[in-house]
Amino acid sequence: MADLLGSILNSMEKPPTVGSQESRRKAREQAARLKKMEELEKRKKAEFRKKMEKEVSEFIQDSAQQKRKYNPMGKIERSILHDVSEVAGLTSFSFGEEEESRYVMLFKKEFAPSDEELEAYRNGEEWDPKLAEQRRRLKEQAADKYVHLIGTSAAKDAAHTLEANRAYGCVPAANKRDTRSVEEAIDQIRAKKRQKQEADSGAPSSSS
């Protein structure tokens, strides 16, 4: 038993086997490759940012351009471009439904897009100011027609209510007071005429 225990201890104290050394070597190589890839990725990002800064600067200096559309790019590239445009004082938006088709558009502050223009890009349409103006006019015409219909309907309801009042004798009290006052005034005039006739004749007239 003692010899067995000693042999186990001796085997544990032996230097690492060739297999374990190979595993550590591969691990070191993998770590080195990862570090190299990270450095390469970092350098690519820096180069891309520098390129975007140059293009954005040229865009700002070009007075003939109001907006700029880029080809579809990855999420990291879009993020860098958005950051560069924000630092430069521009407005930027991403459009496109699918990730692989999403692209960035830059706008100068003085030519910021309207809600209608943004909606067109979101729908995958090209912005056409003339077409947008036609659509706006059609909407206004439709709104005016709707208001006109509402006004006509309200007038019809009022007319219907007036006819109902007349049919059921629902005449306003003010009209009733005015009608009675006229009748009373006529009666008073007639009575005064009779009194005058009696005074002129000196005798009461017979009533029929």
Side-chain angles (χ1 to χ4, degrees):
M1 180 64 71
D3 293 337
L4 178 60
L5 181 58
S7 62
I8 294 174
L9 293 174
N10 291 334
S11 63
M12 292 177 63
E13 294 173 358
K14 290 180 180 179
T17 61
V18 177
S20 61
Q21 290 178 349
E22 182 68 15
S23 298
R24 286 197 294 271
R25 183 183 66 81
K26 288 183 178 180
R28 287 195 298 270
E29 290 179 353
Q30 184 177 7
R33 284 196 300 269
L34 289 174
K35 185 177 181 180
K36 188 176 182 179
M37 290 175 63
E38 290 176 356
E39 292 175 351
L40 180 62
E41 187 70 19
K42 186 177 181 180
R43 186 165 62 251
K44 285 183 178 180
K45 289 180 180 179
E47 292 175 353
F48 181 79
R49 184 180 185 90
K50 187 176 181 180
K51 178 184 177 182
M52 292 298 101
E53 289 175 345
K54 183 176 182 295
E55 292 186 5
V56 167
S57 177
E58 293 174 351
F59 168 61
I60 293 175
Q61 295 175 11
D62 188 352
S63 58
Q65 286 191 353
Q66 300 178 2
K67 57 188 175 183
R68 171 173 289 189
K69 178 181 177 180
Y70 283 84
N71 292 326
M73 60 181 66
K75 184 175 182 180
I76 295 176
E77 287 77 11
R78 295 198 307 273
S79 176
I80 293 174
L81 181 53
H82 283 306
D83 185 60
V84 171
S85 64
E86 182 179 359
V87 172
L90 301 176
T91 302
S92 62
F93 295 91
S94 290
F95 302 102
E97 295 295 332
E98 303 297 331
E99 177 61 30
E100 60 272 10
S101 65
R102 288 186 68 78
Y103 62 93
V104 176
M105 287 190 70
L106 305 183
F107 300 86
K108 293 179 179 178
K109 290 290 186 179
E110 59 271 27
F111 302 107
S114 63
D115 293 339
E116 293 177 340
E117 185 174 356
L118 292 176
E119 187 64 23
Y121 295 136
R122 292 190 183 101
N123 294 333
E125 303 173 357
E126 290 295 330
W127 171 243
D128 187 346
K130 294 182 179 179
L131 180 60
E133 181 62 24
Q134 292 177 359
R135 290 178 176 176
R136 190 181 301 110
R137 289 180 180 177
L138 289 175
K139 287 182 179 179
E140 290 177 354
Q141 291 175 2
D144 292 340
K145 184 177 180 181
Y146 180 74
V147 171
H148 176 70
L149 290 174
I150 289 298
T152 303
S153 176
K156 288 182 178 179
D157 290 341
H160 177 72
T161 302
L162 180 59
E163 290 297 329
N165 288 343
R166 288 176 178 173
Y168 291 97
C170 300
V171 181
N175 292 348
K176 289 182 178 179
R177 285 197 299 272
D178 293 343
T179 301
R180 288 195 300 270
S181 297
V182 171
E183 292 174 348
E184 291 173 357
I186 291 174
D187 290 341
Q188 290 176 2
I189 291 172
R190 288 175 179 173
K192 286 182 180 180
K193 284 183 178 180
R194 285 196 299 269
Q195 290 176 0
K196 185 177 181 180
Q197 290 175 357
E198 292 175 356
D200 292 340
S201 60
S205 61
S206 60
S207 60
S208 56

